[in-house]
Amino acid sequence: MLSEKLLGKLNEQITHEFFSAHYYLAMAAYFKKEDLDGFANFFIVQAEEERFHAMKFFEFINDQGAEAVISGFKNPKRDFNSAEEIFELALEHEKLVSSLINELMSVAQEEKHYPSISFLQWFIDEQVEEEASMGKLLNQIKRVGEKGHGILMLDRELASRTFTPETE
Ligand code: FEO
């Protein structure tokens, strides 16, 4: 059975994941406005992933015989100024999410709640990938700059990203 503390934190993570989806959708909107549809696609797919993450928490809580709590959240930032700014923010956000997942894992370990430890391990691994992909794109944007051929090449590459949820 989930303790009140662990259940509370798992429920908070549903909100964090849905907020992440909104945040990335706001980033997609900026790129749409800039006619960088490949970058927009990258963040639309990222938003889908975040909703998938949220639903994993939702299902896990239900599978544990508890009730998932759906809460609201603040408006995400808008008025972005550049691709570099967006990827800096996205990387910073993923680092924040990693720290939240790590914190959740610490609570699960303290309580020796093995189902949660096993469930959260997927997210620990996922966050390594999430941070790496945002960091890599940030470096690529820094290298090619905001204008010119390089950014359009990158845009074309990101247009092909699709959402493929892993099935366990
Ligand atoms: Fe759900 Fe991007 O972490």
Side-chain angles (χ1 to χ4, degrees), residues 107-151:
V107 176
Q109 283 174 338
E110 271 163 31
E111 297 188 3
K112 293 189 169 44
H113 194 266
Y114 298 110
S116 291
I117 292 169
S118 170
F119 170 73
L120 290 166
Q121 188 58 51
W122 185 91
F123 283 92
I124 300 269
D125 298 340
E126 174 74 0
Q127 282 311 119
V128 173
E129 279 178 37
E130 297 270 83
E131 283 188 36
S133 86
M134 292 302 179
K136 185 176 168 182
L137 282 162
L138 174 60
N139 285 338
Q140 288 178 339
I141 287 160
K142 281 183 178 165
R143 195 166 298 142
V144 301
E146 299 279 331
K147 296 192 192 331
H149 198 56
I151 198 95

Side-chain angles (χ1 to χ4, degrees), residues 17 20 24 46 49-50 53 94 97 123 126-127 130:
E17 299 291 345
S20 301
Y24 291 141
Q46 191 63 36
E49 263 195 24
E50 299 302 350
H53 293 170
E94 285 304 332
V97 174
F123 283 92
E126 174 74 0
Q127 282 311 119
E130 297 270 83

